[in-house]
Amino acid sequence: MNRSQGRRDDELRPVEIVRGFTPNASGSVLFKAGATTVLVTAQISDSVPPFLEGKGVGWLTAEYAMLPGSTPTRVQRRTDGRATEIQRLIGRSLRAIVDRKALGPCTVHVDADVLNADGGTRTAAITASFVAVADALKRKFGDRAGTILRDSIAAVSVGIVAGRPVLDLDYPEDSTADVDVNVVRLGGGGLVEVQGTGEGGVFSRSQLTELLDLAEAGIDRLAALQKEALGADWPWPA
C-alpha cells in the first residue's frame, strides 16, 4: 500500500494553521490537514444557558457542519445525526480543558465548518478549535486566559489499512480501513476520548496498544504545531 504524498505509516499529513482567518470573530483558525480543510471560529458571550444561571460558572458549546461543497456530492444544509455526534464530541473535548469557574458567567461558542473533506474532519476540528478558543480567551481576558485553560488539546485518527497500522487517515484510507480509531488527548498527556471501531472485523488488545502509541506520537507533533502557531500568545509561560 502506497500512502498519499508518499507518507510513512507514522507520518501526519502536511498541516497548516492560519490564525485570524475571520477578523470579526474573537478567535478563528483555518486548519488544513492534507486536503481536509476546516474553518473554526470562537466567540464569547456574557451569558450562560438557563441551567447555569446564578452558579458562577461558564460554559462551552460547539456546532459542526459540512458545507455543501465540501464533498463531491452536495451536502444538504441540515444537522444530521453524524453532525450532532461530532459537535458533541468537540464540546466535550474542549470542556475538558476549560476551568469553567475561572471562566465565570460566560459562554464560549465554537463553530466548526468543513470546507473540504478528505478524512479526519472531526479530529481536525478539535485540533483547530483549541487555537481558536485560546485566541478568543486571550482577546477577552488577556493573560488570564492561561488560568482559564488547563492544557492544550488535539486529536488524530489512526487505523489498520491493508493490514498495517497507520496515522492520520485520509478518505481513501478511512473508507477501506479494517480498524478506525479517533483519539483525543491533552497536550500534557491524558486521554479525553477514544473512539474505536472494527470496521472489517475484530482487533486485538496489542493492535489497539500499537494504534494508541501511533496516535500519541501524532498528537505530540500536533501540540508542537499548535504552540508554534500561537507563538507569543501561547497561554502559559515557557
Side-chain angles (χ1 to χ4, degrees):
M1 180 189 71
N2 294 319
R3 304 197 73 195
S4 61
Q5 301 172 318
R7 284 191 292 151
R8 301 185 311 273
D9 291 353
D10 63 351
E11 187 176 357
L12 294 170
R13 288 174 286 179
V15 172
E16 183 179 357
I17 302 174
V18 181
R19 294 167 62 202
F21 190 80
T22 305
N24 286 333
S26 298
S28 68
V29 169
L30 183 72
F31 183 94
K32 296 182 179 181
T36 288
T37 306
V38 180
L39 173 62
V40 176
T41 60
Q43 295 176 283
I44 302 173
S45 60
D46 294 319
S47 61
V48 293
F51 68 91
L52 290 176
E53 288 179 357
K55 296 185 178 180
V57 297
W59 188 243
L60 182 146
T61 185
E63 294 188 16
Y64 166 98
M66 295 182 66
L67 297 189
S70 60
T71 64
T73 302
R74 183 182 183 274
V75 178
Q76 295 187 31
R77 292 184 184 274
R78 66 185 182 194
T79 301
D80 57 17
R82 176 180 178 275
T84 298
E85 184 266 323
I86 292 175
Q87 65 192 29
R88 287 175 177 170
L89 169 64
I90 296 168
R92 285 195 305 271
S93 299
L94 293 168
R95 286 193 293 272
I97 62 166
V98 172
D99 184 330
R100 292 167 49 209
K101 186 173 181 180
L103 175 62
C106 297
T107 298
V108 182
H109 302 270
V110 175
D111 289 281
D113 291 299
V114 179
L115 307 185
N116 193 73
D118 187 34
T121 61
R122 73 185 66 198
T123 56
I126 292 167
T127 304
S129 292
F130 165 72
V131 179
V133 168
D135 272 339
L137 291 173
K138 182 67 177 286
R139 180 177 289 191
K140 184 172 180 64
F141 297 105
D143 291 340
R144 201 159 69 80
T147 65
I148 297 170
L149 288 170
R150 298 187 179 102
D151 202 340
S152 65
I153 195 165
V156 75
S157 64
V158 286
I160 297 176
V161 182
R164 288 159 43 184
V166 295
L167 174 68
D168 193 15
L169 282 62
D170 59 20
Y171 179 75
E173 293 171 334
D174 182 63
S175 62
T176 59
D178 296 319
V179 178
D180 182 17
V181 181
N182 296 302
V183 180
V184 186
R185 200 204 75 185
L186 303 182
L191 295 169
V192 175
E193 191 144 347
V194 177
Q195 300 179 334
T197 305
E199 302 282 0
V202 299
F203 54 102
S204 68
R205 176 67 175 269
S206 62
Q207 286 175 314
L208 177 59
T209 298
E210 187 172 8
L211 289 173
L212 290 174
D213 288 343
L214 262 183
E216 294 253 39
I219 289 172
D220 285 342
R221 176 62 181 148
L222 289 169
L225 291 171
Q226 290 170 324
K227 186 173 184 179
E228 180 181 326
L230 283 164
D233 292 320
W234 183 250
W236 307 282

